[in-house]
Amino acid sequence: MLREVNGVELWVDTFGEPADPPVLLIGLSWPDDLCTQLAGRYVTRYDLRDTGRSTYADPDGPKYDLRDLVSDAAELIDGRAHVVGLGVGGFIAQLLALDHPDRVASLTLVSTRSVAPGPVDPDLEDHELAVMQQMFGRPQPDWADRDSVVDYMTGSARLLAGSQGFDEQDTRTAAGRVFDRSRKSAAAQRASHLGTTFAAVNCQPRWRERLPGITAKTLVIHGDEDPFFPHQNGAALAAEIPHATLLTLPGIGQGLPRASWPIVVPALLSHTA
């Protein structure tokens, strides 16, 4: 369903019963099966601006900034919610906990880091160069063709998955779902699949120095073979957020593939209890 928040319309999906503890999953990349495994929680996932079925304007030249995306998330929450951010969605989650602490019952940060797109701080590990060259050195798909996009995204997922994390069927299903939810222009498909909006949106000012001000109970989940945001970025987050817990996923790269769910699901249920 569409919900109007902060002057835009965001497409929202929910799982579970409204009376259960609310969990907000930032972004559209959360698989149905993972959402349904969070039994006993009222799970909300949503499409960010310029992705999926939400308000669409110009993902290559957005007229909003990262703080607008944070305000979007804050207005989606009725009262308080357990907030989970993955990848660049973790940027939104961190700022939500800093700028709207009254909205955040707990915080979970998955495969993310404490600085915005661009050059990283000297003490943080950047993307693995060899993997990035393989990912972005390939020919782009035909963004209007579903099979071409699914094949391309499956290849990207294989590069990012780690030794224990790649499930081709899950990956193809997820890519097809994102394609079907998104507008069929090249810009819209790139934004939904690659998160290209984050390369154009203004993410300033910095927030890393504010991390010690996070008061929400925090769980950091990070694969030890993540080539996109290497594990040391998750360890740094856990060290800089007071009393945060670091959960390391052996053999896992970027994201939460099905192989990680036997560890991740119980951890999330415990953290959001």
Side-chain angles (χ1 to χ4, degrees):
M1 62 179 176
L2 283 171
R3 279 190 59 183
E4 186 171 344
V5 298
N6 199 26
V8 297
E9 289 186 323
L10 302 181
W11 184 268
V12 173
D13 292 331
T14 60
F15 301 78
E17 299 298 326
D20 291 333
V23 174
L24 179 69
L25 306 178
I26 295 175
L28 61 81
S29 60
W30 303 91
D32 290 0
D33 286 353
L34 178 57
C35 294
T36 57
Q37 285 200 24
L38 296 175
R41 304 291 178 268
Y42 184 56
V43 176
T44 298
R45 71 179 180 198
Y46 69 100
D47 298 345
L48 302 176
R49 300 186 192 200
D50 283 326
T51 68
R53 299 172 184 171
S54 291
T55 289
Y56 179 82
D58 181 9
D60 293 331
K63 301 300 189 289
Y64 51 87
D65 61 22
L66 177 60
R67 270 60 181 186
D68 291 313
L69 300 180
V70 174
S71 295
D72 293 350
E75 292 193 21
L76 280 176
I77 297 171
D78 298 320
R80 302 174 78 217
H82 301 279
V83 174
V84 186
L86 188 156
V88 292
F91 303 165
I92 297 172
Q94 291 169 66
L95 284 165
L96 191 57
L98 286 166
D99 295 344
H100 304 272
D102 57 320
R103 299 288 197 198
V104 180
S106 74
L107 178 65
T108 302
L109 302 172
V110 184
S111 302
T112 190
R113 70 183 188 189
S114 56
V115 294
V120 297
D121 292 350
D123 64 317
L124 296 178
E125 291 185 25
D126 205 351
H127 313 305
E128 288 187 15
L129 181 59
V131 175
M132 297 304 102
Q133 289 173 337
Q134 291 181 69
M135 277 190 63
F136 297 111
R138 298 173 297 152
Q140 291 280 303
D142 176 357
W143 290 106
D145 180 78
R146 190 180 193 275
D147 289 343
S148 179
V149 172
V150 169
D151 287 345
Y152 181 84
M153 295 308 300
T154 300
S156 296
R158 184 179 284 108
L159 290 169
L160 296 176
S163 60
Q164 304 299 318
F166 183 66
D167 184 310
E168 180 164 355
Q169 185 56 55
D170 277 356
T171 301
R172 299 185 74 85
T173 297
R177 173 179 164 271
V178 172
F179 185 93
D180 295 339
R181 289 171 70 90
S182 305
R183 291 166 178 81
K184 299 307 181 280
S185 71
Q189 289 291 335
R190 286 198 307 271
S192 290
H193 286 277
L194 302 180
T196 52
T197 302
F198 276 91
V201 75
N202 179 9
C203 292
Q204 298 303 316
R206 288 170 56 91
W207 68 87
R208 185 182 182 189
E209 290 74 16
R210 297 176 59 203
L211 291 177
I214 291 179
T215 56
K217 180 179 64 172
T218 301
L219 173 64
V220 178
I221 303 176
H222 217 109
D224 67 357
E225 295 183 10
D226 187 344
F228 195 74
F229 292 143
H231 179 266
Q232 184 259 351
N233 290 271
L237 275 170
E240 292 169 31
I241 297 173
H243 311 297
T245 299
L246 175 63
L247 174 60
T248 297
L249 304 176
I252 300 298
Q254 172 71 196
L256 295 178
R258 190 178 295 269
S260 71
W261 296 359
I263 298 173
V264 168
V265 170
L268 281 174
L269 291 175
S270 175
H271 188 63
T272 59

